[in-house]
Amino acid sequence: MDWILDRLADVEGLESVHLVTNAQKAAQFEGWAAGRDVTIHDDGTTSNDDRLGAIGDIAFVLERIGPGDDLLVVAGDNLFTFSLADCVDFWRSKGVASAVAVHDVGSRELARKYGIVDLDTDGRVLEFVEKPEQPPSTLAATATYVFHRDHVPFVHRYLVDGNPPDQPGRFVAWLCRRERVYGYTFDGEWLDIGDPEQLQEADTRWRARLGLPLRDVYEPVP
């Protein structure tokens, strides 16, 4: 979260930062947020049985803060080296549109775990397929999105229509069939550290850069 927060600081015009978590982790995040300009939202859930899902949590926060502004959404299990400021600048150049950060993961095996996008020559998302068994490409949507204020109310409509409340890529797949959505393609690194294997890979890469001894198993700092 510190890594993401540092990159959010580079985004011009960002007015506030909101983090949504469940009831089990809320106290830990409240402690982390002390001294930081971050608002923590406890969605009140305690297990997978009552969880709201990622899209449900976006709607939960929107109900608290109200719609009416543009929205930058970054999943907490993203570890990336691209510039969020550059991503937002790209989105701003597209007018009334939304955007998703996309990255070539270079492996169809990895691509099966993500939403795969097809872009036109201008970068507009033509098709978005969530976790395909046979990925048509390795261009994956990362869980980083910028939604135009005119598109933000669609989150509520998407859920009211009975669509799945988890996996935010599903909302983008739904939205791109109705409104303009563009893919911000970036180089550099991106790891989904919600995946144990990629968490281990991230641990190895960053420890090597810092000159720390490598380890076979990831363990959080006490």
Side-chain angles (χ1 to χ4, degrees):
M1 295 311 305
D2 287 328
W3 184 270
I4 294 173
L5 199 60
D6 287 346
R7 275 136 195 84
L8 287 172
D10 297 332
V11 178
E12 183 179 355
L14 189 69
E15 295 181 354
S16 59
V17 178
H18 301 264
L19 186 151
V20 59
T21 183
N22 58 44
Q24 292 182 328
K25 302 294 184 182
Q28 295 178 42
F29 278 112
E30 288 284 0
W32 168 81
R36 295 177 171 89
D37 191 13
V38 180
T39 301
I40 304 298
H41 298 272
D42 176 2
D43 70 7
T45 64
T46 57
S47 71
N48 285 334
D49 294 333
D50 64 354
R51 67 195 298 265
L52 300 182
I55 307 167
D57 272 334
I58 293 171
F60 175 80
V61 174
L62 287 173
E63 287 178 3
R64 289 187 158 198
I65 67 176
D69 211 342
D70 306 314
L71 184 66
L72 171 60
V73 178
V74 183
D77 54 7
N78 270 328
L79 184 60
F80 53 82
T81 59
F82 72 88
S83 166
L84 283 178
D86 288 348
C87 178
V88 171
D89 287 345
F90 167 85
W91 160 75
R92 285 180 174 141
S93 73
K94 298 302 181 182
V96 180
S98 293
V100 53
V102 299
H103 184 63
D104 190 341
V105 295
S107 162
R108 291 188 186 272
E109 180 179 356
L110 269 180
R112 293 190 186 97
K113 299 181 179 181
Y114 307 120
I116 302 302
V117 299
D118 180 27
L119 307 179
D120 69 11
T121 55
D122 192 38
R124 182 170 178 176
V125 178
L126 299 176
E127 186 177 13
F128 189 118
V129 183
E130 187 69 30
K131 298 183 178 180
E133 282 296 323
Q134 300 296 329
S137 77
T138 56
L139 192 60
T142 73
T144 301
Y145 316 96
V146 192
F147 298 115
H148 191 276
R149 65 189 65 190
D150 289 355
H151 295 175
V152 171
F154 282 99
V155 174
H156 177 71
R157 176 178 160 187
Y158 168 91
L159 293 171
V160 166
D161 285 351
N163 292 291
D166 205 10
Q167 299 177 359
R170 294 184 184 277
F171 172 65
V172 177
W174 180 91
L175 182 65
C176 75
R177 296 193 295 270
R178 293 162 173 81
E179 301 290 339
R180 293 190 304 142
V181 179
Y182 288 86
Y184 169 72
T185 305
F186 65 91
D187 296 318
E189 295 175 276
W190 171 69
L191 292 161
D192 171 15
I193 58 174
D195 178 272
E197 291 183 3
Q198 292 203 48
L199 176 61
Q200 179 64 48
E201 175 64 22
D203 186 62
T204 298
R205 291 187 195 181
W206 261 257
R207 291 178 74 86
R209 287 170 188 163
L210 295 172
L212 298 173
L214 305 186
R215 52 191 182 178
D216 294 331
V217 178
Y218 170 81
E219 294 180 359
V221 177

